[in-house]
Amino acid sequence: MSDTADGTNVSDAAKPSTSVENDKAETVSASRNASASDDADMSSMSDVESLNAGVRQMSNVLYWRFFVNLVLMILDGTMLVIANLIMFNIDPLAYLLYGDNFHTQLFAGILFVVFGVVYVGCLHSSGIYHRHVMGDGFQVNYKIVQGVVKLVIIQCAVNYMFKYPLPRHVLFEAAVLTLVFTVIERIIARVVITRRRKTGMYSYATIVVGSPECIERTLHRLHKRSQLNYRTVGVCPIGVDPETNKIVSVPIPDTVHIDKSLTVLPYSTSIGETAVKSGIQTILICDVIRRDSVEFNVLSLAVESLGVEIALAAGAADMGAHRMYFRNIQGMPVLTMHLPQYGYATRLIKRVFDIVCSLLLIILSSPITIITAIAIKLDDHGPVFYTQKRIGLRGKPFRMIKFRSMVTNADELKAKLAAESGHSDRFIFKMKKDPRITKVGHVIRKWSIDELPQFFNVLKGDMSLVGPRPPLPEEYARYNRLYATRMFVKPGITGPWQVSGRSDLTAEESEQLDVSYVQDWSITGDITILFKTVQVVLTHKGAY
């Protein structure tokens, strides 16, 4: 047994295999002898040993999670104290009820500490200390804003109830400072946590279970999304036996590329006990086992009863955010569900938000717009704007306007370039070093300036600030039933595709992002995407 960086014990089962041949031999053997493996694993640990191992497993995870959250809570509360101390030095009499003396200063200090504790409570109620939020920068910032708003409401209520004459401008200025300091503190904390995760700390040792092909795709995604906090140490390739219709272990084909350093584990109903003995904290199922199946129910009970988390890598079709209501009408149970974001009030708010923001951005970007128009005209004397037929809400066509960044015959060259670059099968065509792009076009595409005229499309109502990108008619004609659901919302200037890698994403990743947005979008989510867009534009990630 050896100790990992996060304090868990990892046995030989979670260590890298010594050779590729041994890996394949063990996997094939496990596939042929699945039932024998079940009996052997079930007898390997007694009920008492399983319980004790589960307790130790849970304790190891909770220990570092508690320690990290405790440090973050202390730092968060300290940010509020520092903000109020700054305001105290600027206007001390605002905090001192009965003159400037030792007792009143002591009372003010105690009050700062008390509100620091209240602030931590507000952040906790916003969900900022949840393990799935800890490493997500923008989600953390949104929850900080929620916590500060709750704190201000509580402070106003306390001031009113106890007649504490703290001026409102001091209260709000202290709240703004608290917000700024906490965001900066969390950025630094995120950098530290991310670096520690690369060494194996503050992450969850994970086994990925599924078909070999899906395991390969899932490993690729987990590697690109470290904030998910899953550190893969093993895989369990499975399939369905056509004769018995049962889940069995399967060999990994030569066409599937999975890191050979990962341990290949056989599948059995006692995989939870194997995970506990190996120091595994999470079993991630990517496919084959359906969440509504008996197999999943049995596996989840066997795993979670030992303190091991079970997670599902949901597909695009499983990512809905329906609110469900259960009713029993004269002995007939009825389950109704709806997507709250498609209510009239929410859609009205989104439209008002689009109009106000697009008007403001048109005014603010007008100097850049004028300079860009002049530069395009001087470059090749061609037209400044480029309009193109795109498909909008529910298949309705419209003319999308952009600054022209390509040569005038760019559309004629598209099919040829798509075939040459191997992108003819993709719904979204993008290629690096596109020869159609002009000199000015390279600059405006790098900074996404070519998209600025689309604010007029938003103002008109053809587009929204946030949403899936509007497809071309020929692209829309190739959509399957699932991917076509992206047309149930207005297309956007920016969206999940733009802030998640843009042109660097695979076709499958791009499609899943669009479909999941249609099912899960919200006003706060749109605001988060807008802030992320600013970061993407400044870093030029995936822009070409």
Side-chain angles (χ1 to χ4, degrees), residues 373 376-385 404 408:
I376 293 173
K377 197 66 179 178
L378 293 176
D379 185 26
D380 58 5
H381 306 290
V384 172
F385 297 105
R404 185 174 61 85
T408 54

Side-chain angles (χ1 to χ4, degrees), residues 50-51 53-59 61-62 65 204 272 275-276 280-282 300-310:
S50 298
L51 179 61
V55 171
R56 289 195 301 271
Q57 174 82 348
M58 199 176 301
S59 299
V61 176
L62 292 178
R65 192 192 301 174
Y204 294 80
V276 168
I280 305 300
Q281 287 97 34
T282 301
S300 63
L301 287 172
V303 167
E304 294 187 75
S305 61
L306 292 172
V308 178
E309 178 190 63
I310 190 165

Side-chain angles (χ1 to χ4, degrees), residues 410-461:
D411 289 337
E412 300 172 8
L413 300 174
K414 178 184 175 182
K416 177 182 177 182
L417 292 172
E420 291 176 354
S421 61
H423 287 76
S424 56
D425 60 335
R426 291 193 60 168
F427 293 132
I428 301 173
F429 173 69
K430 285 275 188 174
M431 65 177 293
K432 293 182 178 180
K433 298 181 180 179
D434 194 326
R436 300 176 298 168
I437 301 176
T438 64
K439 293 179 181 179
V440 175
H442 280 292
V443 177
I444 63 177
R445 288 167 75 95
K446 180 179 180 180
W447 295 98
S448 298
I449 297 173
D450 58 323
E451 312 284 356
L452 292 180
Q454 290 170 37
F455 290 130
F456 290 99
N457 286 118
V458 175
L459 198 60
K460 184 181 176 183

Side-chain angles (χ1 to χ4, degrees), residues 136-149:
D136 193 335
F138 285 95
Q139 192 175 1
V140 166
N141 293 340
Y142 170 67
K143 292 187 179 299
I144 291 173
V145 174
Q146 280 186 317
V148 171
V149 170

Side-chain angles (χ1 to χ4, degrees), residues 262-329:
L262 298 176
T263 301
V264 180
L265 300 175
Y267 177 76
S268 70
T269 53
S270 59
I271 192 172
E273 296 179 358
T274 304
V276 168
K277 290 189 293 183
S278 305
I280 305 300
Q281 287 97 34
T282 301
I283 294 178
L284 177 62
I285 301 173
C286 59
D287 70 346
V288 180
I289 301 177
R290 295 174 57 88
R291 63 181 177 182
D292 58 350
S293 65
V294 175
E295 186 77 24
F296 176 77
N297 290 332
V298 172
L299 180 62
S300 63
L301 287 172
V303 167
E304 294 187 75
S305 61
L306 292 172
V308 178
E309 178 190 63
I310 190 165
L312 282 169
D318 297 323
M319 300 181 76
H322 294 83
R323 286 184 181 174
M324 299 186 183
Y325 300 92
F326 180 80
R327 295 181 296 164
N328 196 323
I329 305 173

Side-chain angles (χ1 to χ4, degrees), residues 8-63:
T8 57
N9 292 328
V10 180
S11 68
D12 294 337
K15 292 179 181 177
S17 303
T18 56
S19 66
V20 176
E21 292 78 6
N22 288 342
D23 282 348
K24 293 182 179 179
E26 290 172 5
T27 307
V28 175
S29 176
S31 176
R32 294 175 179 173
N33 302 293
S35 60
S37 176
D38 285 355
D39 297 337
D41 287 341
M42 289 299 291
S43 61
S44 63
M45 296 178 66
S46 66
D47 292 341
V48 175
E49 289 173 336
S50 298
L51 179 61
N52 291 337
V55 171
R56 289 195 301 271
Q57 174 82 348
M58 199 176 301
S59 299
N60 286 332
V61 176
L62 292 178
Y63 174 76

